[in-house]
């Protein structure tokens, strides 16, 4: 067993969502578990204006629902499924992430093995923008459908809108750091390569694809929550 393996095995096991565990695995920095509760952390993220808006959403009279909102049904749920599948296909089908075996078999154009990280960073940022735009649109439409159901569900829709407004800047700042984390992982893999086979590049492609798919799951969590509320109503 190498010293690197021993060191890795002695690191604190990071618990939490797949996305967080993947990022922790790709770094050489040990991440101690947080001692803060979720409520304590939220209190640090919410500004006083957001706290007032959240209190109003919880205790006030819900706003009148938008007019001409389609009723929730199979068509709307299928739209969410298609949107998610389209993003998955964009990630899996990204030419920068085509594995060597796929390119040899003619199943992907790929990029040159000597390419630097810039191409991968640009692709990651583009896919992040697509995920943000798609989930934002879906979330807004689902909230409108929820608000048209009943006053109680309208209140839930308003709470979700306030939380999106309050937490989105923090979320985008944190997610915006992911390409930098992957850039460090890219450099470390390249430096460790000794045989010159280029196999490290496929390792990186698989890791980047896994991180993108895990981030997609995180971004769809609010959408999934609204869908669950609509199904139960």
């Amino acid at each position: 067993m190498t010293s690197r393996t021993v060191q890795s095995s002695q690191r604190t096991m990071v618990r939490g969502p797949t996305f967080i565990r993947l990022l922790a695995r790709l770094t050489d920095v040990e991440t101690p578990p947080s001692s803060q509760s979720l409520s304590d952390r939220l209190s640090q993220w919410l500004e006083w204006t957001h706290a007032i808006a959240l209190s109003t959403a919880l205790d006030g009279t819900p706003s009148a629902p938008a007019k001409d909102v389609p009723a929730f049904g199979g068509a709307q749920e299928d739209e969410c499924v298609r949107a998610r599948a389209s993003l998955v296909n964009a990630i899996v089908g990204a030419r920068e992430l085509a594995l060597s075996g796929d390119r040899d078999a003619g199943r992907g154009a790929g990029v040159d093995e000597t390419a630097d990280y810039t191409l991968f960073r640009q692709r990651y940022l583009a896919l992040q923008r697509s995920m943000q735009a798609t989930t934002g649109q879906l979330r807004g439409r689902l909230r409108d459908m929820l608000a048209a159901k009943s006053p109680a569900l309208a209140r839930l829709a308003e709470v979700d809108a306030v939380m999106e407004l309050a937490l989105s800047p923090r979320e985008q700042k944190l997610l915006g750091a992911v390409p930098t984390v992957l850039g460090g992982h890219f450099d470390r893999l390249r430096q460790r390569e000794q045989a010159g086979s280029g196999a490290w590049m496929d390792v990186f492609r698989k890791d980047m694809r896994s991180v993108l798919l895990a981030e997609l799951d995180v971004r769809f969590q609010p959408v999934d929550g609204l869908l669950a509320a609509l199904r139960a109503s």
Side-chain angles (χ1 to χ4, degrees), residues 32 35 65 75 117 127 137 199 209 226 232:
S35 59
Y117 180 63
L127 289 168
Q137 292 170 1
R209 182 186 297 177
L226 293 171

Side-chain angles (χ1 to χ4, degrees), residues 91-113 202 205 209:
I91 293 170
V92 175
R95 61 183 294 270
E96 293 83 357
L97 303 184
L99 303 180
S100 300
D102 292 336
R103 296 198 304 279
D104 293 342
R107 293 194 296 270
V111 296
D112 190 272
E113 295 293 344
D202 274 351
R205 291 184 179 108
R209 182 186 297 177

Side-chain angles (χ1 to χ4, degrees), residues 41-59 158-171:
R41 193 167 301 177
L42 281 175
S43 69
Q44 296 174 358
W45 292 354
L46 294 175
E47 298 179 3
W48 67 270
T49 52
H50 297 142
I52 292 175
L54 182 58
S55 177
T56 301
L58 288 169
D59 301 329
E158 290 197 5
V159 168
D160 181 75
V162 171
M163 294 303 289
E164 181 180 17
L165 180 64
L167 299 181
S168 282
R170 177 88 179 195
E171 178 185 76

